[in-house]
Amino acid sequence: KQEVTQIPAALSVPEGENLVLNCSFTDSAIYNLQWFRQDPGKGLTSLLLIQSSQREQTSGRLNASLDKSSGRSTLYIAASQPGDSATYLCAVRLGGYQKVTFGTGTKLQVIP
Amino acid sequence: DAGITQSPRHKVTETGTPVTLRCHQTENHRYMYWYRQDPGHGLRLIHYSYGVKDTDKGEVSDGYSVSRSKTEDFLLTLESATSSQTSVYFCAISESGSGSYNSPLHFGNGTRLTVT
């Protein structure tokens, strides 16, 4: 069974700092990995999706990398801002549409 | 934002009553999903649909049923609500097509259900 781990569970950083969020998974035979952010009381907003054949994806200040062989993905946030404060989740798709496993998230607080 | 509307946004109900949650999409996506989110468990799949009248069970389907009579609507029914079904319920959609395995999931804003 695929297990997805996100460490740390919570992170607090000063504004302007570059930071890295981690996502580890146990089964490397994945189709893709998706990063989301979730604001309190809201749904999940898709940030980036990395296909299994890709090494990284970039969107603005966000860069996600994927290393299938080691079962790891990182989400790099450059020049963090208070508006980046949210919970960040990763989700790994093993195969069909029902085979998506979510991590429990990293709660990020960016302090002004 | 993907055009996904969940209703109601909040509901309080009593143990033993039936409850129906609605997910409506305007994206004409083939695949729709119901998840629940609980502290310490993350998001878990309840049921999913891969087309009109085509549905299947997910990881935590006991006590839930679904129906999809139109592409745009996916209903989740708690047949007899229990306190363990107190949770936040999310609907998600993804596209169809040959690249569907690499189509991103998009989520609605959720329904907070409390069973007393």
Side-chain angles (χ1 to χ4, degrees):
Chain A
K1 179 185 174 183
Q2 176 76 280
E3 293 183 4
V4 181
T5 304
Q6 292 185 250
I7 295 173
L11 181 64
S12 184
V13 300
E15 180 177 3
E17 190 165 298
N18 301 325
L19 59 101
V20 174
L21 305 180
N22 297 297
C23 173
S24 300
F25 48 93
T26 54
D27 189 335
S28 62
I30 67 171
Y31 276 81
N32 62 50
L33 186 146
Q34 193 170 355
W35 282 94
F36 297 87
R37 70 173 280 166
Q38 184 176 26
D39 295 287
K42 299 287 189 180
L44 282 70
T45 299
S46 179
L47 298 174
L48 290 163
L49 181 145
I50 310 177
Q51 300 178 26
S52 62
S53 58
Q54 297 174 322
R55 296 282 295 184
E56 63 179 59
Q57 279 283 347
T58 298
S59 176
R61 294 183 295 109
L62 305 179
N63 176 276
S65 67
L66 175 64
D67 185 343
K68 278 179 38 177
S69 61
S70 67
R72 292 188 60 189
S73 176
T74 60
L75 179 67
Y76 175 84
I77 303 177
S80 58
Q81 303 170 358
D84 295 330
S85 298
T87 297
Y88 291 80
L89 298 101
C90 65
V92 177
R93 182 185 292 264
L94 258 186
Y97 20 80
Q98 73 278 25
K99 295 180 182 175
V100 176
T101 304
F102 286 82
T104 51
T106 294
K107 186 174 183 179
L108 173 66
Q109 182 182 25
V110 181
I111 303 167
Chain B
D1 290 343
I4 307 169
T5 304
Q6 291 187 235
S7 59
R9 290 297 314 279
H10 303 272
K11 186 168 182 68
V12 180
T13 191
E14 293 183 348
T15 298
T17 60
V19 177
T20 295
L21 309 182
R22 181 179 183 240
C23 178
H24 178 79
Q25 59 141 331
T26 58
E27 306 296 321
N28 201 36
H29 285 358
R30 178 179 175 185
Y31 304 125
M32 300 185 74
Y33 317 79
W34 278 106
Y35 288 89
R36 60 178 290 174
Q37 186 176 39
D38 305 286
H41 290 280
L43 280 131
R44 293 178 291 174
L45 183 66
I46 305 170
H47 281 279
Y48 62 97
S49 170
Y50 45 96
V52 174
K53 299 191 189 305
D54 292 323
T55 65
D56 207 344
K57 297 178 180 179
E59 180 186 1
V60 290
S61 60
D62 288 348
Y64 301 95
S65 62
V66 290
S67 66
R68 192 168 178 201
S69 59
K70 297 185 290 185
T71 298
E72 57 266 36
D73 290 325
F74 193 31
L75 304 180
L76 176 71
T77 297
L78 288 65
E79 293 141 8
S80 177
T82 68
S83 59
S84 65
Q85 293 176 311
T86 292
S87 186
V88 181
Y89 291 85
F90 287 102
C91 174
I93 65 175
S94 64
E95 295 181 74
S96 60
S98 59
S100 61
Y101 282 2
N102 282 316
S103 296
L105 284 172
H106 296 285
F107 282 80
N109 281 329
T111 294
R112 184 173 296 276
L113 177 68
T114 303
V115 183
T116 61

